[in-house]
């Protein structure tokens, strides 16, 4: 059995529909978005066409708007990146994408006489504040220090590179848009290493084996339908490219946290969080809109299941206990 980066020897079980349930209570961020935009974040059984389109393109729209929901963000990162090829590709491409944001801002908003004085400073401050808030929520001084050091390094290298190519017409392969598109495409298509396509991305509410998604069942799928599937794969990759580019800034601190965990940092905390992801994967139907089970179902499908959730404050007290109430 193959050993995988964070899964170990565990496997994603054969996809099957399971009764939706939470493993972690929803946060105030989630509640706010579901209250303000219920048609998108808490649709009924028949969502509107626009909601279906957004869900197909974004797959996990809630993840794109809840910036401090660490339980959910870590969980999604784990259930969507189970293969070694996917995980390692993201480990390389995510920091490259963040660095390219600084590079683009240095190229387009900086001047030859003020290499470091550009809009990248604003982005640096925003990301530093965001990542620090994440670390404060997890009570991890080490994580904060590592993330801020890596972020500062990316900003510095990006500005130096921009300074080296400034002063003339950029070759097409040095233009920020070209580099961002290339890195994001590699990051997006690394999901082909995964064994399953998530709900919504496959126009269904269930997880689906990649081979079935691309080729279909030879006994039931016609040649025309198969050609249509193959034609759609690169088109769907365009949405994936945009998703990966947008998600990179969020994923950077999460991958650094995974690396710290892999080195032995806070083993009990890692096992608690990892255990929830493994439980969802073992069901064959990991949820996309919450930490738990339910595939692509809307939160409306939880019904009374959500009433049995533990209070979110209690969960953070447990997390604080695991951190031993210190900032190391």
């Amino acid at each position: 059995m193959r050993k995988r980066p964070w899964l170990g020897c565990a496997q994603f079980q054969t996809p099957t529909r399971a009764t939706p349930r939470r493993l972690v209570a929803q946060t105030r961020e989630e509640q706010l978005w579901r209250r303000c935009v219920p048609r998108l974040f808490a649709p009924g059984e028949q969502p509107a066409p626009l909601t279906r389109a957004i869900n197909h393109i974004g797959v996990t729209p809630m993840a794109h708007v809840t910036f401090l929901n660490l339980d959910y963000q870590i969980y999604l990162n784990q259930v969507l990146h189970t293969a070694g090829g996917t995980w390692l590709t993201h480990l390389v491409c995510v920091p490259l994408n963040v660095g390219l944001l600084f590079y683009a801002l240095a190229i387009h908003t900086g001047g030859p006489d003020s290499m470091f004085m550009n809009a990248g400073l604003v982005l640096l401050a925003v990301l530093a504040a965001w990542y620090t808030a994440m670390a404060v929520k997890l009570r991890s001084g080490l994580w904060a220090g590592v993330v801020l050091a890596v972020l500062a390094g990316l900003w510095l290298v990006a500005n130096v590179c921009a300074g080296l190519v400034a002063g003339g017409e950029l070759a097409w392969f040095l233009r920020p848009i070209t580099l961002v598109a290339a890195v994001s495409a590699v990051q997006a298509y690394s999901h082909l290493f995964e064994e399953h396509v998530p709900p919504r991305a496959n126009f269904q509410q269930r997880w689906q084996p990649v081979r079935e998604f691309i080729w279909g069942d030879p006994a039931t799928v016609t040649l025309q339908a198969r050609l249509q599937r193959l034609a759609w794969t690169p088109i769907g990759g365009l949405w994936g490219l945009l998703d990966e580019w947008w998600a990179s800034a969020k994923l950077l601190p999460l991958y650094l946290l995974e690396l710290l965990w892999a080195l032995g940092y806070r083993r009990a905390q890692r096992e608690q969080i990892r255990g929830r992801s493994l439980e969802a994967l073992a069901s064959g139907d990991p949820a996309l809109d919450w930490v738990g089970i339910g595939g692509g179902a809307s939160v409306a499908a939880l019904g009374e299941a959500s009433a049995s959730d533990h209070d979110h404050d209690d969960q953070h007290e447990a997390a604080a206990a695991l951190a031993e109430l210190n900032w190391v």
Side-chain angles (χ1 to χ4, degrees):
M1 186 179 295
R2 289 179 297 173
K3 193 167 184 179
R4 305 182 182 193
W6 75 268
L7 280 175
C9 292
Q11 285 188 324
F12 190 148
Q13 297 302 310
T14 303
T16 181
R17 296 311 303 272
T19 302
R21 65 185 178 92
R22 290 186 187 276
L23 299 178
V24 172
Q26 66 178 331
T27 64
R28 292 184 180 89
E29 275 186 291
E30 293 177 75
Q31 291 174 335
L32 175 65
W33 282 105
R34 286 179 174 133
R35 184 166 59 248
C36 294
V37 195
R39 291 187 178 182
L40 176 59
F41 297 113
E45 293 184 3
Q46 297 295 329
L50 179 59
T51 298
R52 292 199 300 270
I54 292 174
N55 280 337
H56 171 66
I57 294 172
V59 183
T60 57
M62 181 63 77
H64 297 308
V65 296
T66 52
F67 300 111
L68 292 176
N69 191 354
L70 290 181
D71 286 326
Y72 178 55
Q73 299 290 359
I74 294 171
Y75 160 82
L76 273 185
N77 187 46
Q78 292 184 339
V79 300
L80 292 174
H81 308 119
T82 64
T86 310
W87 203 91
L88 294 173
T89 301
H90 279 63
L91 191 62
V92 174
C93 289
V94 163
L96 281 177
N97 250 332
V98 175
L100 286 171
L101 287 175
F102 290 125
Y103 175 74
L105 291 173
I107 291 289
H108 294 298
T109 67
D113 299 325
S114 55
M115 183 170 65
F116 294 100
M117 301 303 294
N118 53 66
L121 280 173
V122 177
L123 178 63
L124 178 66
V126 170
L127 292 181
W130 180 16
Y131 297 164
T132 300
M134 285 184 174
V136 167
K137 193 164 186 179
L138 206 63
R139 299 190 179 188
S140 175
L142 178 61
W143 185 29
V146 169
V147 171
L148 293 179
V150 170
L151 184 65
L154 291 172
W155 171 79
L156 178 63
V157 171
N159 277 272
V160 170
C161 290
L164 292 175
V165 300
E169 182 69 20
L170 281 178
W172 67 269
F173 54 85
L174 292 177
R175 292 173 184 170
I177 187 64
T178 304
L179 294 172
V180 167
V183 172
S184 297
V186 171
Q187 191 171 320
Y189 278 99
S190 71
H191 283 268
L192 291 175
F193 287 112
E194 295 291 319
E195 295 178 355
H196 304 97
V197 179
R200 300 173 183 164
N202 57 12
F203 300 99
Q204 300 184 41
Q205 296 302 306
R206 67 181 181 92
W207 293 79
Q208 186 179 26
V210 170
R211 182 178 179 83
E212 179 186 327
F213 172 70
I214 296 177
W215 291 103
D217 185 349
T220 59
V221 177
T222 64
L223 177 61
Q224 179 181 356
R226 181 168 294 151
L227 291 175
Q228 290 174 343
R229 287 170 181 261
L230 291 174
W232 183 257
T233 299
I235 297 173
L238 294 176
W239 317 140
L241 186 153
L242 293 173
D243 287 342
E244 296 293 344
W245 172 77
W246 175 258
S248 289
K250 171 188 66 183
L251 292 175
L252 177 63
L254 301 186
Y255 273 95
L256 292 174
L257 179 60
E258 291 280 3
L259 288 177
L260 288 175
W261 280 343
L263 293 173
Y265 179 63
R266 290 189 177 179
R267 292 182 184 275
Q269 183 183 68
R270 174 182 183 267
E271 291 307 311
Q272 182 194 48
I273 293 174
R274 178 176 179 267
R276 292 194 291 255
S277 300
L278 290 175
E279 182 177 349
L281 290 171
S283 74
D285 198 30
L288 293 182
D289 281 353
W290 60 85
V291 179
I293 298 162
S298 165
V299 68
L302 286 170
E304 295 182 357
S306 59
S308 64
D309 293 334
H310 298 295
D311 184 79
H312 195 68
D313 292 336
D314 292 340
Q315 292 173 0
H316 279 289
E317 287 178 9
L322 285 172
E324 298 178 348
L325 297 177
N326 59 47
W327 281 80
V328 178

